[in-house]
Amino acid sequence: DTAVSQTPKYLVTQMGNDKSIKCEQNLGHDTMYWYKQDSKKFLKIMFSYNNKELIINETVPNRFSPKSPDKAHLNLHINSLELGDSAVYFCASSQDLDWSGGLNTGELFFGEGSRLTVL
Amino acid sequence: GQNIDQPTEMTATEGAIVQINCTYQTSGFNGLFWYQQHAGEAPTFLSYNVLDGLEEKGRFSSFLSRSKGYSYLLLKELQMKDSASYLCAVMDSNYQLIWGAGTKLIIKP
C-alpha cells in the first residue's frame, strides 16, 4: 500500500503545453505539499495545503496552480510550460503538529516523484 | 534571510564513521530534521531533534545545539547502501520547513 502516490512518474512535453500531476495520500494526513527539486537538488516548497489554508510560495509563477478536491488529494496543474519547469516534482503529506503531548513530529512522507522534462 | 548550510559532498570508507554537519539561521526554531535521499528516489525521514543533545537510532545518530545553530548526523559502520544525499531541514517559527541543498555521501569499499 503506497502511502503517498503521484502520477505520472515521468512526463515529457513541449513548451507551451498544459499538464497536470496527481497526488493522493492514504495516511489520513491533514496537510499536503508540492515540492520542486531541480538539477542542483534543492528542495523548494511550492505549496502547502490543508482544509484551512493554502500557502503559496510567492516565488512560484501563477502558471502553477494546486487543486485539492478533498483532503487526500492535491493535484498540480501547470499552464504554458517553460524549459525551466523541467525538474522532479515531489508531493508530500504530514500530520498537523500535535502540541497536546503526542509524539508526532510533523515529518513529511514523500511520493516517489514525477520527473517533468520540457522540450 | 533564512539559510541552511551543509557540505556538498563527502566521501567515506565502508565500515567507517562519518559526520555530516549542518548549520542554520532561521526565523525561529521548531525542530530540525534529517532526511535520506537515494538517487532517483524520494527523501525518507531519518531523525528529528528539537531539544539539545544526541538522539541515537541504530547506526544513525543526530545531534543538536540550538544555541550554536548546529546539528550533525553521525553514521556508524557505514555500508554501501548508505551512499545517498542527506538533507538537513529546519522548521521555522511558522512551521515551514527550510531545506539545505543536501550532502552527497559517497561510500567506497
Tab-separated table of all heavy atoms in Angstrom, chain B residues 37-72:
chain	number	residue	atom	x	y	z
B	37	GLN	N	18.093	10.675	0.945
B	37	GLN	CA	17.535	10.569	-0.401
B	37	GLN	C	18.502	9.823	-1.309
B	37	GLN	O	19.580	10.339	-1.636
B	37	GLN	CB	17.226	11.948	-0.988
B	37	GLN	CG	16.517	11.889	-2.338
B	37	GLN	CD	16.145	13.261	-2.875
B	37	GLN	OE1	16.721	14.276	-2.516
B	37	GLN	NE2	15.149	13.285	-3.762
B	38	HIS	N	18.110	8.619	-1.714
B	38	HIS	CA	18.896	7.888	-2.696
B	38	HIS	C	18.610	8.469	-4.071
B	38	HIS	O	17.547	9.025	-4.330
B	38	HIS	CB	18.556	6.394	-2.662
B	38	HIS	CG	19.130	5.679	-1.488
B	38	HIS	ND1	18.402	5.346	-0.364
B	38	HIS	CD2	20.382	5.227	-1.251
B	38	HIS	CE1	19.181	4.728	0.503
B	38	HIS	NE2	20.391	4.638	-0.004
B	39	ALA	N	19.603	8.333	-4.948
B	39	ALA	CA	19.492	8.898	-6.296
B	39	ALA	C	18.230	8.392	-6.983
B	39	ALA	O	17.965	7.187	-7.016
B	39	ALA	CB	20.721	8.538	-7.111
B	40	GLY	N	17.465	9.322	-7.517
B	40	GLY	CA	16.269	8.961	-8.245
B	40	GLY	C	15.093	8.562	-7.386
B	40	GLY	O	14.068	8.100	-7.910
B	41	GLU	N	15.227	8.729	-6.065
B	41	GLU	CA	14.139	8.338	-5.170
B	41	GLU	C	13.693	9.532	-4.337
B	41	GLU	O	14.282	10.604	-4.369
B	41	GLU	CB	14.580	7.186	-4.263
B	41	GLU	CG	14.944	5.928	-5.031
B	41	GLU	CD	15.327	4.782	-4.106
B	41	GLU	OE1	15.187	4.919	-2.872
B	41	GLU	OE2	15.776	3.747	-4.623
B	42	ALA	N	12.635	9.320	-3.576
B	42	ALA	CA	12.107	10.373	-2.716
B	42	ALA	C	12.886	10.436	-1.405
B	42	ALA	O	13.459	9.444	-0.960
B	42	ALA	CB	10.638	10.108	-2.419
B	43	PRO	N	12.919	11.589	-0.771
B	43	PRO	CA	13.525	11.672	0.570
B	43	PRO	C	12.738	10.828	1.562
B	43	PRO	O	11.515	10.732	1.484
B	43	PRO	CB	13.405	13.153	0.918
B	43	PRO	CG	13.198	13.857	-0.380
B	43	PRO	CD	12.454	12.901	-1.239
B	44	THR	N	13.458	10.231	2.510
B	44	THR	CA	12.807	9.487	3.587
B	44	THR	C	13.326	10.004	4.924
B	44	THR	O	14.498	10.323	5.074
B	44	THR	CB	13.053	7.968	3.488
B	44	THR	OG1	14.464	7.741	3.434
B	44	THR	CG2	12.406	7.379	2.259
B	45	PHE	N	12.440	10.062	5.887
B	45	PHE	CA	12.727	10.619	7.202
B	45	PHE	C	13.744	9.773	7.960
B	45	PHE	O	13.656	8.543	7.993
B	45	PHE	CB	11.416	10.689	7.980
B	45	PHE	CG	11.553	11.036	9.423
B	45	PHE	CD1	11.725	12.354	9.812
B	45	PHE	CD2	11.493	10.054	10.401
B	45	PHE	CE1	11.833	12.681	11.159
B	45	PHE	CE2	11.595	10.377	11.744
B	45	PHE	CZ	11.767	11.695	12.117
B	46	LEU	N	14.733	10.451	8.557
B	46	LEU	CA	15.709	9.764	9.403
B	46	LEU	C	15.548	10.139	10.871
B	46	LEU	O	15.528	9.278	11.738
B	46	LEU	CB	17.137	10.113	8.969
B	46	LEU	CG	17.667	9.493	7.675
B	46	LEU	CD1	19.079	10.005	7.416
B	46	LEU	CD2	17.660	7.986	7.756
B	47	SER	N	15.505	11.455	11.146
B	47	SER	CA	15.516	11.862	12.550
B	47	SER	C	14.908	13.239	12.722
B	47	SER	O	14.806	14.015	11.766
B	47	SER	CB	16.939	11.867	13.099
B	47	SER	OG	17.701	12.888	12.471
B	48	TYR	N	14.549	13.520	13.972
B	48	TYR	CA	14.001	14.818	14.350
B	48	TYR	C	14.581	15.186	15.705
B	48	TYR	O	14.541	14.395	16.646
B	48	TYR	CB	12.482	14.731	14.440
B	48	TYR	CG	11.793	15.940	15.026
B	48	TYR	CD1	11.691	17.112	14.297
B	48	TYR	CD2	11.226	15.899	16.297
B	48	TYR	CE1	11.038	18.222	14.819
B	48	TYR	CE2	10.573	17.004	16.823
B	48	TYR	CZ	10.479	18.163	16.082
B	48	TYR	OH	9.835	19.256	16.592
B	49	ASN	N	15.146	16.396	15.797
B	49	ASN	CA	15.657	16.921	17.071
B	49	ASN	C	15.002	18.261	17.342
B	49	ASN	O	14.970	19.122	16.459
B	49	ASN	CB	17.179	17.128	17.001
B	49	ASN	CG	17.962	15.849	16.864
B	49	ASN	OD1	17.884	15.173	15.840
B	49	ASN	ND2	18.744	15.515	17.883
B	50	VAL	N	14.528	18.416	18.549
B	50	VAL	CA	14.000	19.723	18.934
B	50	VAL	C	14.650	20.210	20.227
B	50	VAL	O	14.683	21.393	20.514
B	50	VAL	CB	12.463	19.715	19.041
B	50	VAL	CG1	12.020	18.830	20.207
B	50	VAL	CG2	11.888	21.094	19.141
B	51	LEU	N	15.209	19.272	20.995
B	51	LEU	CA	15.948	19.618	22.206
B	51	LEU	C	17.432	19.348	21.986
B	51	LEU	O	17.806	18.501	21.177
B	51	LEU	CB	15.445	18.788	23.388
B	51	LEU	CG	13.970	18.983	23.744
B	51	LEU	CD1	13.576	18.030	24.877
B	51	LEU	CD2	13.692	20.425	24.133
B	52	ASP	N	18.271	20.071	22.714
B	52	ASP	CA	19.714	19.879	22.594
B	52	ASP	C	20.096	18.463	22.995
B	52	ASP	O	19.515	17.881	23.915
B	52	ASP	CB	20.456	20.872	23.495
B	52	ASP	CG	20.350	22.294	22.991
B	52	ASP	OD1	19.880	22.491	21.862
B	52	ASP	OD2	20.737	23.217	23.741
B	53	GLY	N	21.110	17.961	22.308
B	53	GLY	CA	21.616	16.659	22.687
B	53	GLY	C	21.636	15.691	21.528
B	53	GLY	O	21.400	16.051	20.371
B	54	LEU	N	21.930	14.463	21.875
B	54	LEU	CA	22.115	13.404	20.896
B	54	LEU	C	20.942	12.439	20.917
B	54	LEU	O	20.538	11.970	21.960
B	54	LEU	CB	23.411	12.651	21.214
B	54	LEU	CG	23.905	11.623	20.199
B	54	LEU	CD1	24.357	12.310	18.914
B	54	LEU	CD2	25.037	10.796	20.790
B	55	GLU	N	20.424	12.147	19.732
B	55	GLU	CA	19.375	11.141	19.573
B	55	GLU	C	19.967	9.988	18.779
B	55	GLU	O	20.455	10.189	17.669
B	55	GLU	CB	18.173	11.719	18.798
B	55	GLU	CG	17.438	12.846	19.497
B	55	GLU	CD	16.389	12.327	20.449
B	55	GLU	OE1	16.069	11.122	20.389
B	55	GLU	OE2	15.887	13.122	21.267
B	56	GLU	N	19.908	8.797	19.355
B	56	GLU	CA	20.502	7.652	18.686
B	56	GLU	C	19.413	6.727	18.162
B	56	GLU	O	18.438	6.436	18.856
B	56	GLU	CB	21.426	6.888	19.641
B	56	GLU	CG	22.604	7.739	20.103
B	56	GLU	CD	23.617	6.959	20.910
B	56	GLU	OE1	24.325	6.132	20.330
B	56	GLU	OE2	23.683	7.179	22.133
B	57	LYS	N	19.633	6.255	16.940
B	57	LYS	CA	18.676	5.349	16.322
B	57	LYS	C	19.457	4.364	15.470
B	57	LYS	O	19.748	4.609	14.303
B	57	LYS	CB	17.682	6.149	15.467
B	57	LYS	CG	16.472	5.368	14.997
B	57	LYS	CD	15.615	6.171	14.025
B	57	LYS	CE	14.921	7.330	14.665
B	57	LYS	NZ	13.967	7.998	13.732
B	58	GLY	N	19.842	3.265	16.096
B	58	GLY	CA	20.610	2.262	15.374
B	58	GLY	C	21.980	2.782	14.985
B	58	GLY	O	22.697	3.362	15.809
B	59	ARG	N	22.331	2.645	13.713
B	59	ARG	CA	23.644	3.108	13.252
B	59	ARG	C	23.683	4.621	13.064
B	59	ARG	O	24.757	5.199	12.896
B	59	ARG	CB	24.007	2.423	11.936
B	59	ARG	CG	24.206	0.920	12.020
B	59	ARG	CD	24.755	0.352	10.720
B	59	ARG	NE	23.840	0.539	9.605
B	59	ARG	CZ	24.089	1.323	8.550
B	59	ARG	NH1	25.217	2.023	8.485
B	59	ARG	NH2	23.223	1.422	7.557
B	60	PHE	N	22.516	5.255	13.096
B	60	PHE	CA	22.454	6.695	12.851
B	60	PHE	C	22.179	7.437	14.160
B	60	PHE	O	21.353	7.016	14.966
B	60	PHE	CB	21.348	7.012	11.847
B	60	PHE	CG	21.595	6.518	10.438
B	60	PHE	CD1	22.669	5.696	10.142
B	60	PHE	CD2	20.747	6.885	9.406
B	60	PHE	CE1	22.888	5.243	8.852
B	60	PHE	CE2	20.964	6.438	8.117
B	60	PHE	CZ	22.030	5.612	7.837
B	61	SER	N	22.863	8.561	14.339
B	61	SER	CA	22.611	9.434	15.481
B	61	SER	C	22.536	10.861	14.974
B	61	SER	O	23.208	11.213	13.998
B	61	SER	CB	23.744	9.338	16.512
B	61	SER	OG	23.931	8.022	16.951
B	62	SER	N	21.750	11.680	15.639
B	62	SER	CA	21.667	13.090	15.264
B	62	SER	C	21.831	13.942	16.519
B	62	SER	O	21.259	13.642	17.570
B	62	SER	CB	20.339	13.400	14.569
B	62	SER	OG	19.254	13.007	15.367
B	63	PHE	N	22.591	15.003	16.364
B	63	PHE	CA	22.915	15.892	17.481
B	63	PHE	C	22.417	17.291	17.164
B	63	PHE	O	22.440	17.728	16.020
B	63	PHE	CB	24.429	15.915	17.704
B	63	PHE	CG	24.883	16.963	18.680
B	63	PHE	CD1	24.858	16.693	20.038
B	63	PHE	CD2	25.317	18.213	18.249
B	63	PHE	CE1	25.264	17.661	20.955
B	63	PHE	CE2	25.711	19.181	19.153
B	63	PHE	CZ	25.694	18.900	20.511
B	64	LEU	N	21.999	17.991	18.206
B	64	LEU	CA	21.527	19.367	18.030
B	64	LEU	C	22.085	20.267	19.124
B	64	LEU	O	22.074	19.904	20.309
B	64	LEU	CB	20.007	19.418	18.072
B	64	LEU	CG	19.370	20.807	18.030
B	64	LEU	CD1	19.607	21.476	16.686
B	64	LEU	CD2	17.875	20.740	18.346
B	65	SER	N	22.531	21.456	18.719
B	65	SER	CA	22.843	22.537	19.646
B	65	SER	C	22.096	23.770	19.159
B	65	SER	O	22.483	24.393	18.154
B	65	SER	CB	24.354	22.812	19.689
B	65	SER	OG	24.604	24.029	20.387
B	66	ARG	N	21.031	24.131	19.838
B	66	ARG	CA	20.218	25.272	19.401
B	66	ARG	C	20.968	26.593	19.579
B	66	ARG	O	20.851	27.503	18.756
B	66	ARG	CB	18.904	25.303	20.176
B	66	ARG	CG	17.927	24.220	19.746
B	66	ARG	CD	16.740	24.158	20.680
B	66	ARG	NE	17.148	23.791	22.027
B	66	ARG	CZ	16.349	23.851	23.084
B	66	ARG	NH1	15.103	24.267	22.961
B	66	ARG	NH2	16.783	23.494	24.277
B	67	SER	N	21.767	26.696	20.631
B	67	SER	CA	22.487	27.947	20.872
B	67	SER	C	23.505	28.218	19.770
B	67	SER	O	23.795	29.372	19.442
B	67	SER	CB	23.176	27.908	22.234
B	67	SER	OG	24.129	26.859	22.269
B	68	LYS	N	24.021	27.153	19.173
B	68	LYS	CA	25.018	27.311	18.109
B	68	LYS	C	24.408	27.217	16.716
B	68	LYS	O	25.110	27.409	15.719
B	68	LYS	CB	26.121	26.248	18.253
B	68	LYS	CG	26.943	26.392	19.525
B	68	LYS	CD	28.033	25.335	19.598
B	68	LYS	CE	28.855	25.511	20.875
B	68	LYS	NZ	29.913	24.472	21.015
B	69	GLY	N	23.139	26.909	16.640
B	69	GLY	CA	22.513	26.743	15.321
B	69	GLY	C	23.196	25.636	14.529
B	69	GLY	O	23.523	25.792	13.349
B	70	TYR	N	23.379	24.515	15.188
B	70	TYR	CA	24.248	23.467	14.632
B	70	TYR	C	23.675	22.090	14.922
B	70	TYR	O	23.138	21.818	15.987
B	70	TYR	CB	25.633	23.598	15.273
B	70	TYR	CG	26.576	22.455	15.043
B	70	TYR	CD1	27.117	22.198	13.798
B	70	TYR	CD2	26.951	21.635	16.110
B	70	TYR	CE1	27.997	21.140	13.607
B	70	TYR	CE2	27.831	20.580	15.928
B	70	TYR	CZ	28.362	20.346	14.681
B	70	TYR	OH	29.237	19.312	14.480
B	71	SER	N	23.812	21.231	13.918
B	71	SER	CA	23.422	19.845	14.066
B	71	SER	C	24.406	18.979	13.296
B	71	SER	O	25.094	19.449	12.380
B	71	SER	CB	22.012	19.635	13.506
B	71	SER	OG	21.669	18.261	13.437
B	72	TYR	N	24.493	17.746	13.671
B	72	TYR	CA	25.209	16.797	12.825
B	72	TYR	C	24.492	15.463	12.806
B	72	TYR	O	23.773	15.101	13.743
B	72	TYR	CB	26.680	16.632	13.238
B	72	TYR	CG	26.945	15.977	14.578
B	72	TYR	CD1	26.754	14.615	14.798
B	72	TYR	CD2	27.447	16.732	15.640
B	72	TYR	CE1	27.010	14.024	16.031
B	72	TYR	CE2	27.722	16.156	16.877
B	72	TYR	CZ	27.502	14.805	17.062
B	72	TYR	OH	27.756	14.228	18.282
